[in-house]
Amino acid sequence: MENFWPVNLLSEHDSGDADWSLFEAQAAAISDATRGLVQGELRRHVMPIGRASSIFIWPTGQRVKGYEFMAIRAEQEGFPLVLEVYHLGDSHRISRARDAAELKRTLHKIFDNDATRRIVRLLANEASQAQAVRIDVGRAEVEQPEAEAASGTATTTSRPDDSASRPIAVGGLIHREGESYAQVNLLGIASFLSEQELRKVVVKPDARGSAVSSMNGRFAVTVKFMDSVKFTLSEDELKILKNEVQRVLTGAAGH
Amino acid sequence: MLSVGFWNAKQGIAGYPAIVDFARDVAGDAGLSGPTGETLLCVGEPGTLDAVGLLAALRAADPTRLWWTHTSTSGRFLLAATIDQATFQTYPEGGAALPCLITRTVGGNNETFLVWFVHLAAAVGVGDRNIHTLTTGLALRAAVEATETTAVTGKSILIGDFNMRPYDAGMVAPAALHATPCRTAARRARVISGIARPYFYNPCWELLGNWEATRQPGTFYWLDPTDSVRWHLIDQMLIRPSIANVLRGRIPRILTKVGTNELVTRRGVARRDISDHLPIVASLSI
């Protein structure tokens, strides 16, 4: 059965846990091990005391679907470490590593586990099904807009940077009071779309009745939300928005 | 009206019948789930119990309701629900919890809520208890904030096995869950050293106190030689203060009986042959 994790890192890596770089390396290497279908990274929590980080993995191109694969905790610098691997079942979920050798043995067990393979396969399948990833021999690439690809401005590697990935989620079709609609989250804008509008989205781009039109190698989507929309802003973005609105309201726009 | 509930099933040792009794009792209680029996329940530590088996058992025992079931990606959370499945979506598990985005009609408007099913690691064999609860609480808070941002809703309701009591460090520390027993105090974020620290409201504080045959002050029975408490209130519910008013009856309910099975002995000890935890359920006006 395939091994999704670079076992050689476990034997070659000599830095112990000093900077938890072993975990970083393991997380980053999941891309190569899955032909680019799954990405991973170590995310650190800022702690008042103690140390904590988690390895997240996600289908390529869908960073917002990051699944918390493993949490790593320590009371202080160095060992012991506590590893919590959520999918391993309650009897094997938590491991304690008192030194580097024990850590490597523990990681071997975690990675060489059918439940681990199941999770990775699940995310890899999701990446494949979304067709946002192009599988080549031995590697995969995130699909690039044609214009970007032609200009050579975008890099395509086996470990694509999909940090710009934005949420796209569509809930089930709700039937209520004679209406059919779904909750949607389109690039961080949350609202509801009627079934009629949803159907327009899946019509071939530029075809009659399609909500999607091609534009400069990308696509413009025109949909009418049923209800008010919600989105989040940073503090700075809110300042800009308020400034723009006030400029308009005071009649300064266009002058 | 909607009920949400959680039960740590201790590796599912009592099998499907106990879970079915739990689900049927909650859905059938109009005071919790309304006249149509709308409920969203989670089983933690399901062991070998799975969504297919639970669905078959539910349909056989309660054929009049449209039950559906779901297992989370990690396999740690087994859901059983009667709400319209189209109004339900999961977001990725994080912070040892499963976020479920649900759409409810409130005052004629569609509104989205995040119901989080939580199962944090116990502070057993992990060194310092305080540091452990702080790290797990902080990671959960980080996950909640990240998912609220992604899902564009700040209406989070957390329920489950926190493996912390209401007064433990990870539950009350501002950097961790910062959960307060006071709804009034929770209304406005506190600024500490220039950083705004929003609260969670923890209605479970009001459950603490005396054990009596008709009053259950905790969900997990454990005699710890270093601690005075016998019934530990580690299965709890937290709610964002802005929606604290949707909690009906002020406090969640701890169940001591499912079906015909008492979950607590006459001496006031958990029936460990069914589970070492008691279920917790809340009724929401959404």
Side-chain angles (χ1 to χ4, degrees):
Chain A
M1 188 170 283
E2 71 268 50
N3 183 352
F4 289 118
W5 301 85
V7 175
N8 60 325
L9 274 180
L10 296 175
S11 55
E12 291 170 2
H13 203 90
D14 291 326
S15 70
D17 82 311
D19 55 2
W20 291 10
S21 58
L22 174 59
F23 296 108
E24 276 177 352
Q26 288 285 338
I30 185 66
S31 181
D32 282 341
T34 59
R35 299 196 303 151
L37 288 170
V38 179
Q39 308 299 313
E41 73 178 4
L42 184 73
R43 298 181 191 168
R44 294 165 191 265
H45 298 296
V46 178
M47 301 287 302
I49 50 172
R51 302 175 73 200
S53 292
S54 297
I55 291 178
F56 281 78
I57 60 176
W58 63 90
T60 295
Q62 301 177 68
R63 195 174 192 275
V64 292
K65 292 190 175 175
Y67 168 81
E68 189 173 8
F69 175 85
M70 179 197 300
I72 307 126
R73 307 185 192 103
E75 291 181 15
Q76 56 199 5
E77 295 289 326
F79 290 99
L81 299 177
V82 174
L83 309 183
E84 184 173 9
V85 184
Y86 298 106
H87 57 270
L88 289 188
D90 289 292
S91 51
H92 299 91
R93 202 177 80 230
I94 295 176
S95 310
R96 192 171 160 94
R98 285 164 291 196
D99 52 41
E102 192 170 25
L103 173 62
K104 289 181 179 181
R105 282 198 301 274
T106 303
L107 289 175
H108 269 298
K109 282 184 188 169
I110 292 168
F111 299 149
D112 188 28
N113 183 289
D114 284 346
T116 297
R117 292 188 186 97
R118 178 183 68 81
I119 297 281
V120 175
R121 270 198 220 103
L122 196 71
L123 299 181
N125 287 341
E126 195 164 340
S128 293
Q129 284 167 7
Q131 297 183 326
V133 182
R134 183 170 58 235
I135 309 292
D136 292 336
V137 178
R139 64 170 32 189
E141 299 174 343
V142 169
E143 285 285 7
Q144 299 294 315
E146 286 174 16
E148 283 183 15
S151 69
T153 55
T155 54
T156 56
T157 71
S158 60
R159 193 170 302 138
D161 174 16
D162 56 356
S163 58
S165 171
R166 296 176 288 175
I168 299 176
V170 181
L173 214 50
I174 301 169
H175 304 281
R176 192 173 284 159
E177 295 176 357
E179 289 185 304
S180 264
Y181 57 93
Q183 196 275 338
V184 297
N185 185 339
L186 302 178
L187 316 179
I189 296 173
S191 187
F192 296 87
L193 278 181
S194 68
E195 182 180 359
Q196 192 181 9
E197 289 292 307
L198 288 168
R199 291 194 181 282
K200 290 179 187 173
V201 173
V202 293
V203 174
K204 192 177 174 187
D206 303 316
R208 189 174 177 182
S210 175
V212 185
S213 54
S214 48
M215 184 186 75
N216 303 328
R218 297 176 68 88
F219 299 96
V221 180
T222 307
V223 287
K224 193 184 288 181
F225 290 107
M226 282 177 65
D227 211 334
S228 53
V229 300
K230 286 184 179 178
F231 51 92
T232 60
L233 296 175
S234 68
E235 196 173 347
D236 286 342
E237 288 166 338
L238 179 61
K239 284 178 188 166
I240 293 166
L241 175 63
K242 281 183 169 179
N243 184 53
E244 289 289 311
V245 171
Q246 279 169 351
R247 190 171 59 85
V248 169
L249 295 178
T250 55
H255 296 285
Chain B
M1 193 191 299
L2 168 73
S3 62
V4 292
F6 181 92
W7 191 12
N8 182 325
K10 196 187 177 187
Q11 304 289 329
I13 56 165
Y16 292 114
I19 308 302
V20 168
D21 283 342
F22 165 54
R24 202 165 50 166
D25 284 359
V26 173
D29 186 333
L32 285 170
S33 309
T36 55
E38 288 205 283
T39 192
L40 177 59
L41 303 172
C42 178
V43 176
E45 284 196 31
T48 56
L49 306 183
D50 62 30
V52 174
L54 180 57
L55 184 60
L58 280 166
R59 285 185 173 164
D62 191 16
T64 58
R65 289 196 176 84
L66 292 172
W67 286 101
W68 54 269
T69 56
H70 172 83
T71 304
S72 69
T73 301
S74 69
R76 300 182 66 216
F77 302 100
L78 174 58
L79 308 189
T82 58
I83 60 170
D84 179 357
Q85 197 166 2
T87 63
F88 168 92
Q89 301 168 64
T90 56
Y91 273 68
E93 290 168 69
L98 171 69
C100 305
L101 185 76
I102 59 168
T103 299
R104 305 293 296 172
T105 306
V106 181
N109 298 316
N110 288 309
E111 289 194 25
T112 51
F113 298 82
L114 277 168
V115 176
W116 292 76
F117 293 110
V118 177
H119 190 184
L120 304 185
V124 177
V126 292
D128 185 278
R129 178 181 173 83
N130 281 340
I131 294 178
H132 173 79
T133 66
L134 280 170
T135 53
T136 55
L138 188 144
L140 176 56
R141 182 183 194 94
V144 169
E145 291 177 350
T147 303
E148 284 181 341
T149 301
T150 302
V152 205
T153 178
K155 296 173 181 173
S156 279
I157 296 154
L158 286 66
I159 190 166
D161 179 358
F162 289 77
N163 266 308
M164 292 187 248
R165 284 100 39 112
Y167 41 85
D168 281 331
M171 201 55 101
V172 296
L177 290 166
H178 205 207
T180 175
C182 177
R183 201 185 292 212
T184 307
R187 280 184 193 147
R188 299 186 70 173
R190 196 171 155 206
V191 177
I192 303 170
S193 303
I195 300 171
R197 301 283 191 187
Y199 289 100
F200 279 100
Y201 169 53
N202 185 354
C204 294
W205 279 86
E206 293 195 38
L207 291 163
L208 294 170
N210 289 305
W211 179 85
E212 293 168 7
T214 56
R215 189 180 187 285
Q216 185 60 45
T219 58
F220 181 75
Y221 188 86
W222 180 253
L223 289 175
D224 183 335
T226 66
D227 196 303
S228 65
V229 177
R230 289 184 173 214
W231 274 105
H232 300 264
L233 185 55
I234 60 175
D235 298 273
Q236 299 178 66
M237 176 192 186
L238 305 183
I239 188 164
R240 284 293 195 189
S242 64
I243 54 165
N245 61 337
V246 306
L247 176 61
R248 297 179 69 252
R250 290 178 60 91
I251 47 176
R253 195 188 292 180
I254 297 171
L255 304 186
T256 55
K257 186 178 182 182
V258 293
T260 56
N261 289 312
E262 298 287 349
L263 303 178
V264 178
T265 68
R266 288 182 184 172
R267 291 190 303 115
V269 178
R271 283 270 310 275
R272 289 172 183 271
D273 57 322
I274 299 177
S275 175
D276 48 0
H277 288 251
L278 300 178
I280 184 167
V281 185
S283 180
L284 308 173
S285 58
I286 60 173

